[in-house]
Amino acid sequence: MFRMGAMSASSKVLLRRSLAGSSSAPRRAAAARRAVVVSANGANSVDASRGSAYDCECCPPGSPFLFRLPNTRFASVSTRSAASSSPSVLASAVPSDVPSAAEELVDYLNNSWTSFHATAESARMLTEAGFTRLSERDEWALKPGGRYFFTRNMSSIVAFAVGEKYEPGNGFNIIGAHTDSPCPKLKPVSAVKKGGFLGVGVQTYGGGLWHTWFDRDLSVAGRVLLRRGKNKGRTSHELVRVARPIIRIPTLAIHLDRNVNTEGFKLNTETHLAPLLSTAIKGELEAETSGGKSEEDEKKKEKKKPAHHPLLLAVLAEELDCDPGEIVDFELEVCDTQPSVIGGAAREFIYSGRLDNLASSFCALKALLDAGGGGSLANETGVRMIALFDNEEVGSDSTAGAGGTVVADALRRAINALRGDSKAEGLFERTARNSFLVSADMAHALHPNYMDKHESNHAPKMHKGVVVKHNANQRYATTAVTATLFRECAALAEVPTQDFVVRNDMGCGSTIGPILATNLGIRTVDVGVPQLSMHSIREMCGTEDIDICARHFTAFFDNFAEVDSKMDDVDA
């Protein structure tokens, strides 16, 4: 250890001069560290030629601050020893190549705070790739070689690419995932005022780890219904995302809850989970300043309590560039403002919210765009499809959920639009029998601090491949046949797979797989990328796993027809 008390007189002078001539705290800190190193190693021990290789002043050669971080975003990291005047390499370069798929996922996550935003971002990517947007209200004109997508409720999206060699009755190869994640959502009447604070009333959506939402820098995002004056009273749907932190859920100090560490954090989601927006006095003053309320508005306010704090409406209006009075209604979620990032000392993890299940959604989307060697459909005999649903976290029973009709409607309409003059019997049913569905939802990686939570023979690990999920009680739709077909597609691309079975003494979650398999009668396999901290506000998965999953899904689109042709019909 280096102690300031051990500095020589000349080093102390150097430190004082550096601090006096420096205009910023970082430069002063750097000067202090340089002085410490000079004192410890001797004034002449620093090799100037080595120092020039460093990109900042805070990490000179011989420094006890070991990591050198070059300007390049994902370049190698080297570590140096401060034990001698001639630095020695303690470790060779950390893996420098972060898979491009992982970096692309991070961008996707940062643009997809809600299911509405995830759908919009997916639609943008599809449009840029040449897909044609359809409307469910219009007649569809489809053709082999065409690429199409449509959305429902702005929160679910179905996209498909028709093979140039498609013939009526050929199968649809589908990857299904979901766009929603557990979060607090604002109540229809969200204005809460108590204890001198303005709060925001929320209701919990899904099975979140709600304690992880405390003491985070939070904001709101979602869909807003507007009736702008310039639109002559027509109601529009617009997305909003307030990037800056505007709300927070503070925990109770340990001095007022002495037993919290021994008895556990006991959360009441109704009384403890309401985020604070502002102090009452400040909030009301700000609302008056920004709202420009007329005397008539004040009289109306006295008669009827506003559904939402005027300050919140003012913040939304600022983001939407509208008047607060033009906001008709909204569906807003509480969101974490901390960006998704590549993390870990070896840059091998993704730290983010909503990995469950936007990671699967992104991999499905990427595979659809990449299959056929960049999206080519020249040799495709079937239809490649992805379906990204809303409301999986609450059971999927909605118009935009997997329990609704969105996929069945897409299949039936596509089959009819592509059938031409064919009047063959049972075309939909025959197509369904020739089709295959991959239900993609995140999987539970082995947790090193809770290893007893996994059955020893089925403990998925990061960087080891997509996890095939099995459950004898049909919580997952996987069968021996569907698991084999999925693995064989991966084997042709030299992609690894793993298996997961929940312990007998633990409950098992479920997915969209059994729902779609039941409603459509399509062969289905349940799979997922291994991750930790599922349903936390901040989850983590491996960068390599995203690359593996994207390649596996691409291999599924590219190879399924060939693999399926080599398996006997189990019902023949």
Side-chain angles (χ1 to χ4, degrees):
M1 291 291 292
F2 296 97
R3 299 188 304 276
M4 292 297 289
M7 293 173 62
S8 66
S10 60
S11 297
K12 291 178 182 177
V13 172
L14 173 61
L15 173 60
R16 284 197 299 273
R17 289 177 179 173
S18 300
L19 296 179
S22 195
S23 60
S24 66
R27 288 185 176 275
R28 289 195 296 271
R33 287 193 289 271
R34 288 198 301 274
V36 171
V37 173
V38 169
S39 173
N41 294 336
N44 299 321
S45 65
V46 179
D47 185 338
S49 65
R50 289 197 185 102
S52 65
Y54 284 77
D55 299 312
C56 62
E57 295 181 342
C58 59
C59 298
S63 170
F65 307 95
L66 300 179
F67 287 100
R68 171 182 182 249
L69 298 174
N71 288 330
T72 52
R73 185 178 178 192
F74 294 112
S76 301
V77 175
S78 61
T79 56
R80 297 181 179 271
S81 170
S84 68
S85 60
S86 113
S88 60
V89 176
L90 293 180
S92 59
V94 171
S96 59
D97 293 331
V98 174
S100 60
E103 294 184 280
E104 292 168 19
L105 171 60
V106 168
D107 292 337
Y108 182 81
L109 290 163
N110 284 326
N111 290 327
S112 304
W113 279 24
T114 70
S115 57
F116 301 116
H117 289 84
T119 300
E121 179 67 6
S122 301
R124 182 193 65 79
M125 294 172 64
L126 290 164
T127 300
E128 289 184 356
F131 280 67
T132 299
R133 185 165 196 151
L134 304 172
S135 171
E136 289 193 276
R137 297 189 178 195
D138 298 334
E139 184 177 353
W140 289 2
L142 311 181
K143 62 181 181 180
R147 298 169 174 83
Y148 311 94
F149 76 92
F150 69 90
T151 65
R152 184 179 286 189
N153 189 48
M154 293 178 66
S155 61
S156 65
I157 186 167
V158 176
F160 55 97
V162 184
E164 293 183 12
K165 296 182 178 180
Y166 172 83
E167 294 181 2
N170 288 0
F172 283 58
N173 300 326
I174 311 167
I175 301 176
H178 64 89
T179 59
D180 62 317
S181 300
C183 66
K185 294 193 176 188
L186 271 64
K187 292 180 177 179
V189 178
S190 70
V192 175
K193 182 177 180 180
K194 58 181 179 179
F197 287 91
L198 299 185
V200 180
V202 296
Q203 52 185 332
T204 55
Y205 175 85
L209 288 173
W210 303 121
H211 68 275
T212 65
W213 288 77
F214 282 71
D215 297 330
R216 304 287 300 189
D217 297 338
L218 305 174
S219 191
V220 295
R223 172 171 63 181
V224 179
L225 273 65
L226 289 175
R227 194 170 292 134
R228 295 178 183 270
K230 63 182 181 182
N231 291 340
K232 300 180 180 180
R234 187 174 183 83
T235 304
S236 63
H237 306 251
E238 299 185 26
L239 300 186
V240 67
R241 181 181 69 176
V242 181
R244 65 185 179 94
I246 63 170
I247 52 179
R248 190 177 177 89
I249 309 172
T251 50
L252 184 64
I254 193 171
H255 313 80
L256 304 177
D257 189 10
R258 290 291 186 181
N259 299 323
V260 65
N261 288 332
T262 55
E263 297 180 2
F265 180 44
K266 299 175 182 178
L267 171 64
N268 183 313
T269 54
E270 178 61 31
T271 58
H272 299 156
L273 202 61
L276 302 184
L277 181 67
S278 72
T279 57
I281 294 177
K282 185 70 173 176
E284 290 165 359
L285 286 174
E286 290 289 336
E288 290 175 5
T289 303
S290 59
K293 298 291 184 181
S294 65
E295 185 176 341
E296 184 178 347
D297 291 333
E298 290 299 328
K299 290 180 180 179
K300 290 181 180 179
K301 178 180 176 182
E302 291 176 3
K303 293 181 180 179
K304 182 180 179 182
K305 180 182 176 182
H308 309 287
H309 288 304
L311 178 58
L312 175 62
L313 296 177
V315 171
L316 296 175
E318 182 182 18
E319 291 290 330
L320 293 163
D321 192 22
C322 71
D323 186 85
E326 294 177 325
I327 297 175
V328 179
D329 205 346
F330 53 64
E331 295 175 61
L332 296 181
E333 301 177 8
V334 177
C335 303
D336 187 12
T337 60
Q338 185 175 358
S340 306
V341 296
I342 303 293
R347 297 185 178 93
E348 61 181 313
F349 302 124
I350 296 175
Y351 302 149
S352 174
R354 308 176 304 284
L355 287 173
D356 175 22
N357 190 35
L358 290 184
S360 301
S361 296
F362 171 79
C363 289
L365 177 59
K366 182 173 175 59
L368 181 64
L369 299 179
D370 291 348
S376 173
L377 296 165
N379 297 315
E380 178 62 62
T381 60
V383 178
R384 304 169 190 157
M385 175 180 281
I386 64 170
L388 312 181
F389 303 95
D390 195 5
N391 303 130
E392 188 276 343
E393 296 293 354
V394 292
S396 295
D397 290 336
S398 70
T399 56
T405 64
V406 60
V407 169
D409 290 347
L411 290 173
R412 196 175 301 279
R413 293 192 65 175
I415 291 168
N416 288 334
L418 292 166
R419 72 187 302 164
D421 296 330
S422 174
K423 296 182 180 180
E425 180 273 334
L427 184 57
F428 178 87
E429 290 76 13
R430 288 189 289 114
T431 300
R433 297 297 85 74
N434 288 323
S435 298
F436 193 92
L437 170 70
V438 176
S439 166
D441 206 345
M442 301 297 278
H444 298 292
L446 179 66
H447 196 307
N449 299 340
Y450 303 90
M451 294 181 65
D452 60 327
K453 297 298 182 180
H454 277 77
E455 194 269 305
S456 58
N457 289 329
H458 302 89
K461 297 179 177 62
M462 290 188 181
H463 312 318
K464 299 295 185 181
V466 174
V467 179
V468 179
K469 306 176 184 180
H470 309 259
N471 186 264
N473 297 304
Q474 291 297 297
R475 300 294 288 171
Y476 302 130
T478 306
T479 67
V481 172
T482 60
T484 298
L485 290 168
F486 186 70
R487 290 196 197 99
E488 289 296 319
C489 290
L492 291 176
E494 299 182 344
V495 178
T497 58
Q498 308 180 74
D499 293 285
F500 172 74
V501 174
V502 73
R503 289 171 55 106
N504 287 326
D505 54 1
M506 295 177 63
C508 182
S510 191
T511 68
I512 61 174
I515 296 171
L516 292 171
T518 299
N519 292 342
L520 301 174
I522 292 177
R523 295 170 293 174
T524 302
V525 63
D526 267 296
V527 306
V529 172
Q531 72 158 95
L532 296 174
S533 304
M534 189 179 290
H535 287 197
S536 170
I537 194 173
R538 200 74 177 166
E539 303 169 325
M540 65 180 289
C541 71
T543 55
E544 292 292 336
D545 290 311
I546 299 304
D547 181 65
I548 290 171
C549 183
R551 289 191 288 123
H552 195 150
F553 287 176
T554 302
F556 164 68
F557 282 138
D558 286 340
N559 300 325
F560 181 78
E562 176 187 348
V563 171
D564 193 32
S565 67
K566 296 178 181 179
M567 178 171 282
D568 291 342
D569 182 352
V570 296
D571 296 310

